[in-house]
Amino acid sequence: MPAPLDRLVRHGARRHVRHLAPVAPGGAPPLVAGVYAQLERDFGMLAPPVALHAPAPETLAACWTMLRETLVVPGLLGRAAKEVVATVVSLGNACPYCVDVHGAMLHGLVGAADALAVTGGRDGAVADPGHRALAAWARAAGTAEDAARHGLPFPPEWFPEQAGVLVTFEYLNRMVNVFLTGELMPRALPAPLRGGLARLAGRVMRPVALRQAAPGDSLALLPAAPLPADLSWAAPSPAIAGALARASAAIEEAGRRSVPAGARRLVLAELETWTGERRGPGRAWVNEALSGLPAAERPAGRLALLTAFASYQVDAAVIGELRRHGAGDRALVETAAWASLAAARRVARWTWRPGPPAGPGRDPGREPGSTCRQPHLSST
């Protein structure tokens, strides 16, 4: 990455990370240093949404492994198609930082017109039919009812990549909403200047995005683990299955370490009946849900519940309450990560509809410069 943009991103990490002390590359523990090196090599920047996990090294590795193997590796869909899904999911979760980053990537990969249509939530205005269908699918995935009505627009063999990106960004958006503040490009900037910066960032990031990253390179960061049953849809893609299995095991262990058992059971019970509806804007529902927990478990339970269902509501008071009960940076990251992945996995469960594809369409992964091969829709 050219020095000026690299400095901008690193400065943004220091300025926008909240509630945590960022871990600088110099002097980082071995696992953190290894993730940072891969992140800068393959993603092109020390991205704050990933780097904020560094106080919990295994959770940092889990986050990066998911991001790399689902988004950065082109696979069948191609990077541009995956960026469409990432951007639409981020819009649905009201995560402006992720919308800025992945919208800028789209500027570099598909051009301004389609990038602006995606980031503006105007799926019907996306010229590329494959990207338009993926955007509509990703938007419908936000609720169980819409997902069931929409179905799968592409062959089932593409689902591990579509849903892998979905899970990763349902996870990341929550973490960003909790631990980052502001946007990559301030909203106060005039629209023409913001657009110019997005185009510039897209041009800078395009060469990195079009690299043919080899699948599986990040898997050695974490020990092998069995693929959970609810993620069995990933099995046809070994790298994605390996990433999700390893990440799930690491984050489950983090949850056992930092989230009291009663709070974990409460969050899972709430998720079991959740179908994507918004909670809030008030917090009466949180207090009611927590009423059955012992007082000592309520601070962690509050952070976990809010992260899973209304991450934008996590504020200094929620964090401060947990810190007064002895939580450090590692416990904060692990608590939020456990809740974020639990919610992300719940969303993926209602999007999986096995069966024949909806019909033939254009390869969504064929962007300029891509060499990945696409399956023939007419043969599925």
Side-chain angles (χ1 to χ4, degrees):
M1 169 178 288
L5 189 55
D6 186 37
R7 286 197 298 269
L8 173 66
V9 172
R10 286 175 182 255
H11 174 69
R14 293 190 297 271
R15 184 164 60 92
H16 289 308
V17 173
R18 60 179 181 172
H19 309 314
L20 304 169
V23 177
L31 181 56
V32 173
V35 172
Y36 280 2
Q38 284 197 16
L39 180 59
E40 291 196 295
R41 181 196 70 193
D42 292 340
F43 196 71
M45 66 180 81
L46 192 62
V50 179
L52 68 83
H53 292 74
E58 298 83 6
T59 306
L60 169 71
C63 173
W64 166 239
T65 298
M66 287 193 296
L67 181 67
R68 186 190 187 278
E69 303 306 330
T70 64
L71 179 79
V72 176
V73 176
L76 296 173
L77 291 179
R79 182 65 179 269
K82 294 181 177 190
E83 292 289 347
V84 168
V85 175
T87 304
V88 172
V89 172
S90 299
L91 277 169
N93 288 323
C95 183
Y97 192 100
C98 292
V99 172
D100 281 348
V101 171
H102 298 282
M105 195 75 79
L106 281 176
H107 272 271
L109 293 174
V110 303
D114 273 10
L116 290 172
V118 173
T119 57
R122 296 179 287 110
D123 302 342
V126 177
D128 183 291
H131 293 167
R132 186 167 62 245
L134 272 174
W137 173 83
R139 192 173 308 283
T143 69
E145 182 181 357
D146 288 347
R149 183 166 52 244
H150 191 84
L152 289 178
F154 297 115
E157 59 263 31
W158 293 7
F159 189 78
E161 296 181 17
Q162 291 174 236
V165 175
L166 175 81
V167 167
T168 297
F169 280 85
E170 288 286 349
Y171 170 84
L172 266 178
N173 294 159
R174 287 169 168 80
M175 295 298 289
V176 168
N177 282 341
V178 172
F179 294 116
L180 291 185
T181 182
E183 305 89 16
L184 182 64
M185 294 176 284
R187 300 287 150 180
L189 290 176
L193 182 54
R194 284 180 57 82
L197 287 174
R199 289 190 294 274
L200 173 61
R203 285 198 297 270
V204 170
M205 292 188 287
R206 175 184 164 87
V208 176
L210 290 179
R211 291 177 188 166
Q212 296 301 300
D217 277 2
S218 69
L219 299 185
L221 293 167
L222 291 169
L227 185 67
D230 65 297
L231 300 174
S232 61
W233 46 261
S237 174
I240 292 176
L244 292 177
R246 287 164 166 80
S248 296
I251 292 176
E252 281 297 320
E253 178 60 28
R256 285 190 290 271
R257 185 164 47 239
S258 293
V259 188
R264 295 200 311 275
R265 287 193 296 268
L266 172 62
V267 172
L268 292 176
E270 292 283 327
L271 282 170
E272 192 60 34
T273 59
W274 180 61
T275 57
E277 65 277 5
R278 297 279 183 175
R279 296 199 177 180
R283 297 186 187 174
W285 64 274
V286 179
N287 295 329
E288 181 180 352
L290 292 173
S291 63
L293 286 183
E297 295 193 8
R298 290 178 189 173
R302 189 181 311 278
L303 175 58
L305 278 171
L306 285 171
T307 299
F309 296 105
S311 55
Y312 64 91
Q313 289 195 28
V314 175
D315 57 19
V318 174
I319 299 297
E321 180 188 25
L322 189 49
R323 283 205 182 276
R324 287 192 295 275
H325 280 71
D329 283 2
R330 182 184 181 105
L332 291 174
V333 170
E334 291 184 339
T335 300
W338 177 83
S340 294
L341 188 59
R345 288 168 63 171
R346 171 63 178 161
V347 174
R349 280 169 57 187
W350 68 55
T351 63
W352 175 226
R353 296 288 185 274
R362 179 188 177 278
D363 289 349
R366 197 177 297 281
E367 63 263 4
S370 174
T371 59
C372 61
R373 295 182 298 173
Q374 311 297 328
H376 293 290
L377 287 176
S378 59
S379 67
T380 58

